[in-house]
Amino acid sequence: MTTTDTHCPYCSLQCGMRLRAPQDGGEAQVLERPDFPVNRGALCGKGRSATAVLRSGARLTAPLVRAERGGELREASWEEALDRVASGLAAAGRRHGRDAVAVFGGGGLTNEKAYLLGKFARVVLRTPNIDYNGRFCMSSAAAAHRIAFGLDRGLPFPMADIATTGCVILVGANPADTMPPALRHFTGLRANGGTLIVVDPRRTRTAEQADLHLQPVPGTDLALALGLLHLAVADRRVDEAFVAERTTGFEAARTAATAHWPERVEALTGVPVHQLRETLRLFADAPTGMVLTARGPEQQSKGTDTVGAWINLCLALGKAGRPGSGYGCLTGQGNGQGGREHGQKADQLPGYRSIEDPAARAHIADVWGVHPDELPGPGRSAYELLDGLGTAGGARALLVMGSNPVVSAPNAAHVTERLRALDLLVVSDLVLSETAQLADVVLPAAQWAEETGTTTNLEGRVILRRAALTPPPGVRTDLHVLRELAARLGVDEGFPERAEDAFEELRRASAGGAADYAGISYPRIRNENGVFWPCPDEEHPGTPRLFLDRFATPDGRARFAPVTHRPAAEEPDREYPLHLTTGRVLSQYQSGAQTRRVPELNRAAPGPFVELHPRLAARLGVAEGDPLRVTSRRGRAVAPARVTAAIRPDTVFMPFHWAGAGRANTLTNPALDPVSGMPEFKVCAVRVERVR
């Protein structure tokens, strides 16, 4: 039987798997692939059932168009659908100016799609307004990475290094649920004598396996990190030689930390002083150590500063830029890393270049065959773009590719209203997502098992998803869509439909940039099980471990961040007395547009819920399963109670995978981090009532 080596379509691990082609009308089978080092054959339930969403009945198989607003979507030919899109985009530009046309991408798109989508926005539409849902994922960590190290790569070392380090502080991450195959690296750490410390307001399945669990108030991770740095200074734990030789800015960071003495940090965070001291002792005494963050500390209006404070701790203790040590971000989406490197972000060009850098503009313009002055400048970040849809000065036509902001955006009811206000909404997706249901044109897209393309996992390893199946009749690739739309809008060249051709151009565009893929090719990826960037030429081995000799700053030194604690944008008060935090569950993924169509995943996680502590439940007169109304300043959601001692009594938790009455992002606060543009998903003020 024919099998194809490929990778899972879901999280940033990009686990290796094999697909067996269907036999006698059956379905393709997912098989283990032990040779890929990230997961070594292990797969979670989402990965094992990944082909289920490709079934007929679960997916779109023909374009859909809406004759008029309020009318029904109907099937259409590809010619009609593409003509409608091209004419609508052109009309919006003529009537309202080029800035009135916008593009919203996704962190699950391949590198080739992300690259050509950015090129399409800037060369064909000539608009600055392109961003993507990855802005909602790891943008604060990316900003802090660039400030501290001069370069942003999720992990500056391979995943396998986690098992060999002495101590890991895992902040706001629950890999046991969000990326289960990664857990073996953490269990390997403990089996090798290392220590795992988990920082999370909830006692998650990951926290249950930790040597020490810190349970801070949501939104206080910055104070916690500053308190640990304060202790490091006070207890003379600072690695003075490393700080002097390889960093700059320590004095300002040290001064900022002095205001965060242990007792004050306990009052702010709820973490007892003895746990603060034990955390510092374990991390400082370990010969090597890592701090790994995820969405918990990052999805805050001070996320960049918070990540910077955790990086400060690594730098002060000499646990960065050395084998077995460093700061890393557990990227969430499948191609969240590559998706932000090659032009989907409003402020970046391919190769992780700044769109405001004249040299970068000249290089990319030369590759694209245009004049640098023809390239637009930076556009609006993701929420700002969505917030302005249909308004004076905002976009009037929007192309969405691989994203479902009706469920995934903060203040989602408001975002839904803005999408409805557009003159034209176009969605390219595998399924009729909640966002696609609002669209004027829906384009059925081929997916991971049906097309070839590269992604870049959380380690910076560029890998190759190989096509194993033929798309159903009526389904086309996103690269085909971009080529056809470009031609209809007057650009006949530069948008290849063959993924490898697009990647060859991407290599040239990225050459010399921070994320340099120039030496990476499809044959190399096949032969080497992926290649780590930066890889500037074909003789270069790739770079599994960054910063061992120098950091990527102009002087080669890492920079401390002089940050201080500040409250969340919205703190509890008498009207809204509780914290709400949001997150994921094991059997669903992101907005749930795909996983909610897989029966076995729905059986395991059938719907939303509100997690609350028994003391809070008793005060509200709530029992397990009772319907609860959760209300914030932006709206309300209703879901059944899940009573558990695993959460703080002052906090409730909701997963964000569902639409409808239980949509968690109806409640969340769009307050933005001033550096990264990240909304404050992880903390807002709510009240909770039993529905009677």
Side-chain angles (χ1 to χ4, degrees):
M1 295 183 182
T2 302
T3 62
T4 303
D5 284 356
T6 187
H7 294 268
C8 178
Y10 290 116
C11 82
S12 64
L13 292 181
Q14 289 295 277
C15 291
M17 60 167 58
R18 290 194 174 101
L19 289 186
R20 178 180 291 162
Q23 302 291 315
D24 301 324
E27 293 185 359
Q29 288 182 280
V30 175
L31 306 175
E32 293 182 356
R33 183 181 155 196
D35 67 303
F36 190 64
V38 173
N39 63 308
R40 302 198 298 271
L43 293 168
C44 71
K46 295 187 289 290
R48 290 189 181 279
S49 64
T51 58
V53 78
L54 303 177
R55 298 170 185 153
S56 60
R59 65 181 302 173
L60 297 165
T61 55
L64 304 174
V65 299
R66 197 185 306 274
E68 58 186 13
R69 276 296 159 94
E72 297 294 320
L73 286 167
R74 61 168 176 83
E75 288 194 4
S77 69
W78 271 97
E79 290 300 308
E80 179 187 358
L82 290 170
D83 287 346
R84 172 83 177 274
V85 175
S87 63
L89 293 173
R94 286 194 304 271
R95 291 174 190 156
H96 306 289
R98 289 173 178 155
D99 289 10
V101 183
V103 176
F104 197 83
L109 300 181
T110 62
N111 290 318
E112 293 81 359
K113 292 181 185 183
Y115 171 75
L116 288 181
L117 189 63
K119 182 180 180 182
F120 178 79
R122 290 163 176 130
V123 172
V124 179
L125 300 178
R126 305 279 295 278
T127 180
N129 287 320
I130 175 171
D131 214 89
Y132 82 129
N133 61 18
R135 179 78 68 171
F136 299 157
C137 189
M138 70 298 293
S139 59
S140 291
H145 248 136
R146 292 198 306 273
I147 293 167
F149 304 132
L151 183 70
D152 161 43
R153 198 177 85 186
L155 295 182
F157 39 72
M159 283 288 292
D161 285 6
I162 292 171
T164 66
T165 194
C167 180
V168 168
I169 303 178
L170 190 60
V171 188
N174 181 20
D177 281 356
T178 60
M179 46 178 65
L183 201 62
R184 60 175 48 192
H185 298 291
F186 295 98
T187 55
L189 160 75
R190 298 188 69 204
N192 291 332
T195 302
L196 176 62
I197 301 169
V198 171
V199 179
D200 199 304
R202 303 167 63 224
R203 188 160 182 81
T204 63
R205 293 200 309 139
T206 305
E208 289 174 352
Q209 300 187 38
D211 297 282
L212 180 60
H213 174 210
L214 311 184
Q215 210 164 357
V217 173
T220 63
D221 308 271
L222 176 53
L224 181 61
L226 287 163
L228 294 173
L229 181 58
H230 177 103
L231 285 172
V233 173
D235 294 351
R236 301 182 185 275
R237 296 284 199 156
V238 174
D239 187 332
E240 302 286 357
F242 179 87
V243 168
E245 294 168 10
R246 300 202 58 191
T247 75
T248 186
F250 175 65
E251 282 307 309
R254 183 191 63 78
T255 299
T258 59
H260 301 83
W261 59 91
E263 291 75 16
R264 182 188 179 212
V265 171
E266 177 178 343
L268 288 169
T269 67
V271 177
V273 169
H274 71 87
Q275 287 192 344
L276 297 173
R277 294 190 181 280
E278 179 68 358
T279 299
L280 190 277
R281 184 189 68 79
L282 290 169
F283 194 56
D285 284 351
T288 55
M290 300 172 180
V291 171
L292 305 177
T293 68
R295 307 302 77 76
E298 298 164 17
Q299 287 182 326
Q300 299 182 26
S301 60
K302 53 182 182 293
T304 301
D305 285 357
T306 301
V307 173
W310 287 104
I311 292 174
N312 285 353
L313 183 66
C314 291
L315 295 176
L317 298 177
K319 290 181 168 57
R322 289 172 168 171
S325 291
Y327 163 77
C329 161
L330 297 182
T331 302
Q333 296 188 79
N335 198 31
Q337 182 70 53
R340 69 183 184 264
E341 294 168 1
H342 298 300
Q344 278 194 103
K345 285 182 74 176
D347 55 350
Q348 288 179 195
L349 291 171
Y352 223 130
R353 290 179 162 91
S354 169
I355 201 167
E356 298 182 278
D357 178 2
R361 293 172 64 86
H363 174 82
I364 297 300
D366 182 63
V367 174
W368 288 351
V370 299
H371 192 278
D373 292 344
E374 295 178 40
L375 296 178
R380 300 178 179 184
S381 68
Y383 183 78
E384 294 171 310
L385 190 159
L386 295 171
D387 183 44
L389 296 177
T391 66
R396 308 302 293 264
L398 178 68
L399 169 62
V400 178
M401 191 169 281
S403 187
N404 188 17
V406 166
V407 178
S408 63
N411 198 11
H414 171 71
V415 168
T416 302
E417 291 175 2
R418 301 275 35 92
L419 289 164
R420 292 184 188 277
L422 287 165
D423 297 340
L424 176 72
L425 173 61
V426 182
V427 175
S428 178
D429 210 332
L430 170 70
V431 298
L432 191 65
S433 69
E434 287 75 15
T435 304
Q437 291 172 31
L438 303 179
D440 300 288
V441 182
V442 183
L443 305 175
Q447 288 296 301
W448 63 285
E450 303 163 345
E451 58 183 357
T452 294
T454 62
T455 62
T456 306
N457 80 346
L458 76 171
E459 310 166 295
R461 185 195 303 258
V462 185
I463 54 97
L464 183 64
R465 292 184 189 162
R466 298 170 175 88
L469 309 173
T470 302
V475 172
R476 300 185 184 178
T477 68
D478 287 320
L479 296 186
H480 172 88
V481 168
L482 292 174
R483 188 193 71 180
E484 291 295 313
L485 290 178
R488 282 167 168 77
L489 292 167
V491 179
D492 294 319
E493 296 181 349
F495 290 87
E497 188 171 351
R498 183 171 174 262
E500 190 167 1
D501 294 337
F503 190 78
E504 288 301 305
E505 183 177 303
L506 182 157
R507 292 174 65 188
R508 292 190 290 117
S510 73
D516 192 335
Y517 285 29
I520 304 175
S521 64
Y522 276 30
R524 277 198 70 178
I525 297 171
R526 291 189 190 99
N527 293 335
E528 300 174 29
N529 238 338
V531 181
F532 291 86
W533 71 261
C535 183
D537 59 69
E538 293 190 5
E539 301 304 314
H540 193 281
T543 314
R545 295 171 182 84
L546 295 169
F547 313 138
L548 297 183
D549 299 317
R550 67 189 311 274
F551 295 98
T553 56
D555 61 4
R557 293 169 173 260
R559 302 185 181 99
F560 279 89
V563 296
T564 59
H565 174 72
R566 60 185 186 274
E570 185 178 84
E571 293 282 350
D573 55 23
R574 291 184 65 183
E575 187 176 2
Y576 301 97
L578 298 168
H579 299 277
L580 169 71
T581 192
T582 64
R584 286 169 49 188
V585 297
L586 174 63
S587 293
Q588 299 290 352
Y589 180 72
Q590 302 298 80
S591 76
Q594 295 187 32
T595 51
R596 285 187 274 117
R597 287 168 168 80
V598 179
E600 67 184 81
L601 299 178
N602 276 335
R603 285 192 293 271
F609 56 87
V610 182
E611 190 176 274
L612 72 165
H613 192 275
R615 293 212 299 268
L616 176 59
R619 194 165 79 238
L620 298 173
V622 168
E624 181 77 14
D626 284 349
L628 294 182
R629 181 187 300 113
V630 184
T631 306
S632 78
R633 289 178 172 85
R634 289 152 295 282
R636 63 184 58 182
V638 177
R642 183 172 293 182
V643 181
T644 172
I647 193 166
R648 293 178 55 91
D650 57 5
T651 300
V652 294
F653 166 83
M654 291 186 71
F656 60 76
H657 309 291
W658 287 272
R663 181 175 59 183
N665 277 322
T666 298
L667 307 167
T668 49
N669 190 354
L672 302 183
D673 181 294
V675 178
S676 68
M678 169 73 82
E680 192 152 63
F681 288 99
K682 277 296 180 278
V683 55
C684 69
V686 298
R687 67 173 177 266
V688 178
E689 305 155 290
R690 185 173 180 270
V691 178
R692 300 184 184 278

